[in-house]
Each structure stands twice: as C-alpha cells, then as structure tokens.
Amino acid sequence: MFAYHFPPENAIGGLRPFRFYKYLSRNGLKCHVITAAAGAADIVPDAESIPDLFLTESRGGLGWQFERAVRKLVLPAVTGTRWAFAASRAGQMFLRANPSARVVILSTYPPLGPHLAAWRLAHLTKLPWVTDFRDPMGDNPANILMPRRSRLIERFLERRTMRDARAVVANTDGAAERLRKIYPQWRDKIHLIWNGFDPEARVHPAPLSMSSRKVMSHVGSLYGSRDAKPLLESIARLVDCGRLRPEAILLRLVGVAKPDSVPGPELLQKAARQGWLELITEQVPQSQAQGITASSGATLLIQPRSTLQVPGKLFEYLQIGRPILAYLPPDSPSERILQHSGIPYRCVYAGKEPAVMDQQIAEFFEMPWADAVPSPWFEEHFNAERQTAALQRLLESVATG
C-alpha cells in the first residue's frame, strides 16, 4: 500500500489508508505500507517510512531544484514526484524479499506521489494495481486556480491511471459517476467505497462548553474551495439587523485560513468586538480538534464548490449527533448523506441570494438544538470495518484475475 499520509502524521488523508490497513490485516491479509510519514513503523509494524527529500533535504541540490520547478510550473502543491521513485524502489526491495507472495498493489490519492509509485511498480512487475481516489484528480475544485496546463496534465494522468489500474475506487457516489461518464470504456473497473469512520474509535458528544450560548464550530483549514466568507457576511447582517443577538451565539473557526476564504479585517474585527466570532488561525492536534467539535452545540460543514467530495469531518459530526449547518452546492453527496443520517441539519446553498442565505442561517439558529442518534443506514454504509470487507473482496478478485 502506497499512502503518502499515514499516522502518526496529523493529516486527515492518513485516516482512510490506516483504517484499510487495520481491518485488512485483521482479516488475514499481510499489508506492507510505504509512506512519507515519519514514525509510521511505531504505529504499525508493517509500515516503511520513505522521507520526501523535497521536505527534508537542504535546498540547492539538482534534485531539489528539479522538483521545485515541477511544483511551481507543472503541478503545484505537494506532489511527491521524487518520493514516488524512492517509494517504488522500496516496493521492489520488498517484492525481492517476498518472492513467493501473491501481491496486489494499492495506492491512495492525493497527493500524486502514491499513484506514480504504484504505476511504476506495476509497470515493472506486471502486478495488478488497485487505485483509490480520495479526491477527484481531473476536476478537483481545489485546483481551479491552477494554470490550464496543470489541469490538462492532471486529466492526462487520470486517464493513464484509469487505463492501467486493474480496479479504481472512488469514495463518493458523485465521484464514481463522474468517472463512469468520462471513461465509459472502463466503467466496469470503477467501484464505490465511501469514506467513513472507525467503529473502534467513535467520536462521542461531550458536555457543552457553554450552556448560555449557541456555540457552532468548524475545525479545519479554510482555502479557495472552502470559503467561509458568505456565511460570515450573512451572520454579520443578521446581527446588525437584530435578528440574531451576538451575546446568544458564538461561531468558532479553528484552523489555518487563507485570506481569500474569510472576509476582510474590518468585518472580522467588528465580529470579534461584538463577541459572536472566535477565530483561531492555527492548526491544532487532532485530539484537541475533536474536543472542540464534540463540546459544541452545533457544527459547521463547508464545501460550497464541489458536488463530488465529502469532507471527512462530516462523519465525525454525524457520530456526535448534534445539529449541522451545511454550506453546500445543491445535490451534493454530503446533502444525500445528511438526508438519511437521522441527525438534524439545515443546508445553505452556495450561490443563493443574500436574503435567502440570511433566512436559512437565521432559521438554523432559531430552531431547537438537541442531540440525536445516527440512523442504522449511516452505520451500515459508513462503518470502516464493513467498507474494508468490500475492499478485501475487490483485492482478492483482482489477485485471482
């Protein structure tokens, strides 16, 4: 398994491959994990950490300059280009040490590095390759500001992945359907295994941090495709017109926030003076993040630009069982999950007129906030143990041809 992110790294992208490792191993499959996360072998004995030299070596070398050029001019952000070659070589060494093993290669994206490593190893060894898309590659809303050439390269790489992988896993119904529409010739390769939660690490509601106010929290980064600006502007209007009392509500935003994802300093400073906004612009450890979320009276979900993705935090929110305000586009997979979850929620649709947004947000704060229990449907579809059983059937099918 090639997984760039993996525990103990504090990255949400490492949770899904860790859950797969955990339950596949428990079900009798030997899983060897190759990751960029330092200290992974301290968490699981079958993990091998290959450092990403772009992040660890001194600047100025030829290899570092090459990858810098790739990241700046071709594929921005963390791609793991050179890491992919080192990880692939580690995979070859593992195969040489286990010559009699029947092997399937599994990689999980993003970033691109694991897919590159798996593609190279599969090409060299002719072993079957199963690829897992946690985010869409070709039409990722987070990449909308990338240069056109970069988006074309990502679409090319996605097509090559679709062609060469023996099976392709998408983690939302929208993402799976997108792949089937774009690549009808390979639709039989495409499988849906949702993201979800670990039943042995459930998140439970905690006592409310404030009994006298309605506290709503969002813990996580805000950036281009997760833009909280319209929500904050709407709450500010509701406070200014007197429909919401600032002493009765509190919105907590915890995590790195890009300047274009929040309003300007004037509104933020005014909201802080009025007392209805608490902005902590730094990343916090996962345990602290869960504590803030679990002790809030409601939670905020922000995914306004994607009809393909589901934020991983939604599954924590639903386990906690308190009301959810979801800022989404219409007909998103997140809304379809909320509809069947059994947890009270309200959707605010991105792109609606300010007056409509104001009414939807006001109704959310005015409705009763009470705890609820997730539905049996939620347990059936998003329990990671059951999801991994589906992945295991797929891996065994691929292994036997």
Side-chain angles (χ1 to χ4, degrees):
M1 180 192 297
F2 291 102
Y4 189 92
H5 301 295
F6 202 79
E9 182 187 18
N10 183 22
I12 197 166
L15 298 180
R16 179 173 168 97
F18 174 73
R19 293 191 295 262
F20 284 159
Y21 167 87
K22 175 180 176 179
Y23 290 108
L24 288 173
S25 300
R26 190 173 295 179
N27 292 342
L29 272 67
K30 180 176 175 60
C31 300
H32 185 74
V33 179
I34 298 175
T35 177
D42 297 332
I43 304 297
V44 299
D46 301 308
E48 180 179 0
S49 295
I50 305 296
D52 187 339
L53 294 180
F54 184 80
L55 303 178
T56 59
E57 73 177 0
S58 59
R59 302 184 178 191
L62 184 61
W64 190 92
Q65 293 293 351
F66 168 77
E67 184 156 357
R68 178 175 179 269
V70 170
R71 294 185 183 211
K72 185 173 183 179
L73 302 175
V74 183
L75 291 170
V78 178
T79 60
T81 308
R82 281 194 300 155
W83 177 87
F85 288 95
S88 178
R89 287 194 296 270
Q92 290 177 273
M93 293 177 64
F94 173 80
L95 293 174
R96 292 192 196 105
N98 296 270
S100 61
R102 186 173 62 179
V103 176
V104 176
I105 302 167
L106 174 65
S107 63
T108 179
Y109 166 92
L112 184 60
H115 278 5
L116 292 177
W119 177 85
R120 183 173 185 268
L121 187 62
H123 179 73
L124 292 172
T125 62
K126 310 305 179 188
L127 288 170
W129 168 31
V130 175
T131 179
D132 176 49
F133 283 103
R134 302 189 323 275
D135 281 333
M137 182 184 289
D139 294 318
N140 191 334
N143 299 341
I144 192 170
L145 298 179
M146 274 188 176
R148 182 173 180 270
R149 64 176 178 276
S150 299
R151 297 197 300 272
L152 290 174
I153 291 170
E154 288 204 328
R155 178 63 68 85
F156 168 78
L157 293 171
E158 179 183 76
R159 183 177 180 84
R160 282 299 182 96
T161 300
M162 293 296 303
R163 185 194 70 178
D164 294 344
R166 192 74 58 84
V168 176
V169 176
N171 72 345
T172 73
D173 53 1
E177 187 57 30
R178 169 192 169 270
L179 291 173
R180 293 186 185 110
K181 287 181 178 178
I182 296 176
Y183 308 108
Q185 68 274 39
W186 297 313
R187 64 181 298 115
D188 291 342
K189 291 184 178 185
I190 300 165
H191 305 264
L192 171 61
I193 300 179
W194 287 93
N195 208 354
F197 67 95
D198 188 340
E200 296 180 354
R202 294 179 186 269
V203 183
H204 300 283
L208 296 176
S209 58
M210 294 185 181
S211 58
S212 59
R213 307 177 77 177
K214 286 189 168 181
V215 179
M216 179 171 65
S217 296
H218 177 279
V219 183
S221 298
L222 298 174
Y223 47 87
S225 61
R226 288 187 182 168
D227 178 8
K229 193 184 308 179
L231 291 173
L232 294 174
E233 291 171 345
S234 177
I235 296 174
R237 289 193 296 270
L238 291 167
V239 169
D240 288 345
C241 75
R243 186 160 181 185
L244 292 180
R245 293 184 298 113
E247 68 274 11
I249 66 169
L250 178 64
L251 173 59
R252 283 189 175 132
L253 299 179
V254 182
V256 177
K258 298 285 187 179
D260 60 350
S261 65
V262 293
E266 184 177 349
L267 189 149
L268 295 179
Q269 292 167 8
K270 180 180 178 182
R273 288 196 305 271
Q274 291 173 327
W276 61 264
L277 177 63
E278 183 179 328
L279 189 61
I280 303 173
T281 56
E282 60 184 27
Q283 187 178 18
V284 299
Q286 185 180 4
S287 59
Q288 184 180 349
Q290 287 187 348
I292 294 170
T293 303
S295 62
S296 299
T299 49
L300 175 62
L301 188 73
I302 301 177
Q303 187 80 61
R305 297 184 186 174
S306 177
T307 57
L308 303 176
Q309 297 160 290
V310 174
K313 58 175 59 68
L314 175 59
F315 302 103
E316 290 187 0
Y317 292 178
L318 293 173
Q319 292 175 78
I320 292 168
R322 288 177 175 153
I324 299 169
L325 180 64
Y327 180 42
L328 304 168
D331 192 32
S332 69
S334 294
E335 183 176 10
R336 290 192 287 276
I337 293 172
L338 287 165
Q339 288 170 347
H340 299 286
S341 68
I343 304 302
Y345 74 95
R346 290 290 188 275
C347 282
V348 177
Y349 294 126
K352 290 293 184 180
E353 297 81 0
V356 174
M357 290 187 64
D358 293 354
Q359 180 65 23
Q360 292 170 329
I361 292 174
E363 289 176 356
F364 179 77
F365 278 102
E366 290 166 355
M367 77 180 197
W369 286 11
D371 293 6
V373 177
S375 67
W377 176 89
F378 173 74
E379 181 77 25
E380 178 183 352
H381 284 79
F382 303 106
N383 183 312
E385 190 170 10
R386 297 178 181 178
Q387 294 169 330
T388 306
L391 176 63
Q392 181 169 348
R393 291 192 294 271
L394 176 61
L395 294 172
E396 290 173 344
S397 173
V398 165
T400 57

